[in-house]
Amino acid sequence: MRRIISYFMAICFIWIGVMIIVNSLNIDDFEISFGWGYIYPLFFVVTGVVLLGTAIIKRRGRWMIGTFLLVFGGLLLADRFGLVDFTFWSVFKLWPMILIFIGFSLFRGIHIHLDYSRGSNKKKKSEKRKKNKETSFTFGDMEKKGNWNLEPMNINTMAGSFYLDLTNAYIPDEETEIHIRSLAGDVTILIPEEIEFQAQATAQFGDINILDQESTGVNTELFYETDQFANAAKKLDIIIRLKAGSIRIDRV
């Protein structure tokens, strides 16, 4: 966010400087306000390129927001040059892009895995939590069951179902984080009886069920912590945030 504000301020200063110079030349029929009609669409274009470029090159970032801003700013510029009829409030005409994004997200079996083990952190606890931490920008469903190794997860997706069966999984003797964020989907996590955990679950529309606690409706939120979580060496820290869908965490 700070970088985007910096870009905006930079564009404003450049625009003011250029417009003052041009205005001092006493060009007929020139108004300083004329230039702003081209500058602020350019801000959306630059911001979109930065966000999209970050998502592609570094394999992380908000590619959907970047794509939207790039298209929005590009159409505004096209309007200024008389190529299309598109104003700022025509942004509502771009709502079908939501369907396009969802369509891309529904491709099954596509997973992009990123390793965040590089870099330094000031706090040892942060280093421990980020070591070998896996961030997945997923398209489609995720299912893990049987014998598999649990590692810290930070999953961001638009739509999909997640089924994590930890019954026979190898769980390390430390606090393991599982973070799942999705616009729409269903999340099911099955935890062995002997494993301590705490869970924070939120859903703007949907239902949440954690052991014997349940919350249903709009803007639902539920927090659960097992009795021995604070003192346990092997434990799970679960955070799930959905816009719409259902969340179920149970012991087996």
Side-chain angles (χ1 to χ4, degrees):
M1 181 60 69
R2 290 182 179 179
R3 179 177 297 180
I4 294 176
I5 294 176
S6 298
Y7 287 142
F8 180 71
M9 293 180 63
I11 292 174
C12 288
F13 280 118
I14 293 172
W15 167 75
I16 292 173
V18 171
M19 292 302 102
I20 291 176
I21 292 175
V22 175
N23 188 58
S24 66
L25 299 177
N26 297 321
I27 299 177
D28 294 337
D29 299 327
F30 177 81
E31 296 181 1
I32 291 182
S33 60
F34 170 80
W36 180 248
Y38 291 86
I39 293 299
Y40 89 83
L42 187 60
F43 165 69
F44 291 115
V45 172
V46 171
T47 304
V49 170
V50 171
L51 293 177
L52 188 58
T54 301
I56 295 175
I57 297 174
K58 296 184 178 182
R59 294 187 178 183
R60 62 183 176 86
R62 301 178 179 179
W63 69 271
M64 288 180 291
I65 297 178
T67 302
F68 177 82
L69 291 178
L70 181 59
V71 172
F72 179 55
L75 289 173
L76 288 174
L77 283 177
D79 173 79
R80 302 306 182 266
F81 289 102
L83 300 177
V84 297
D85 183 15
F86 192 88
T87 65
F88 182 86
W89 297 109
S90 298
V91 62
F92 298 105
K93 295 180 180 180
L94 298 180
W95 71 265
M97 291 188 68
I98 298 176
L99 301 179
I100 295 174
F101 290 147
I102 293 176
F104 276 109
S105 72
L106 293 180
F107 283 111
R108 301 174 63 89
I110 301 178
H111 300 279
I112 303 175
H113 301 290
L114 305 177
D115 187 2
Y116 275 103
S117 59
R118 295 176 297 177
S120 59
N121 300 284
K122 294 182 179 180
K123 297 182 179 181
K124 294 183 178 179
K125 186 174 182 180
S126 297
E127 291 178 350
K128 180 179 179 181
R129 290 187 174 184
K130 289 189 177 182
K131 184 179 180 181
N132 297 325
K133 188 171 184 177
E134 181 183 80
T135 300
S136 300
F137 296 90
T138 66
F139 303 87
D141 301 337
M142 172 183 287
E143 180 176 319
K144 288 183 176 292
K145 59 182 179 180
N147 298 319
W148 60 286
N149 294 329
L150 174 65
E151 295 181 354
M153 294 181 176
N154 187 6
I155 302 172
N156 293 274
T157 182
M158 283 196 63
S161 298
F162 300 88
Y163 182 85
L164 305 179
D165 186 350
L166 306 179
T167 307
N168 297 315
Y170 169 74
I171 302 175
D173 293 326
E174 59 183 7
E175 181 176 338
T176 304
E177 294 182 345
I178 300 176
H179 294 183
I180 299 176
R181 300 173 182 84
S182 179
L183 292 182
D186 297 323
V187 179
T188 300
I189 301 179
L190 303 180
I191 303 174
E193 189 69 32
E194 68 276 8
I195 300 298
E196 304 297 326
F197 72 92
Q198 73 171 11
Q200 304 176 54
T202 59
Q204 290 190 4
F205 303 94
D207 58 272
I208 304 172
N209 192 309
I210 303 178
L211 299 189
D212 57 345
Q213 296 187 14
E214 185 175 359
S215 180
T216 304
V218 179
N219 292 327
T220 60
E221 183 175 356
L222 195 59
F223 176 81
Y224 188 96
E225 180 177 301
T226 56
D227 295 337
Q228 301 301 320
F229 174 82
N231 300 322
K234 179 187 295 188
K235 53 188 176 182
L236 305 176
D237 181 11
I238 303 172
I239 298 177
I240 304 174
R241 304 186 188 281
L242 301 180
K243 294 295 184 181
S246 64
I247 300 170
R248 176 193 166 211
I249 300 176
D250 207 349
R251 272 182 161 173
V252 292

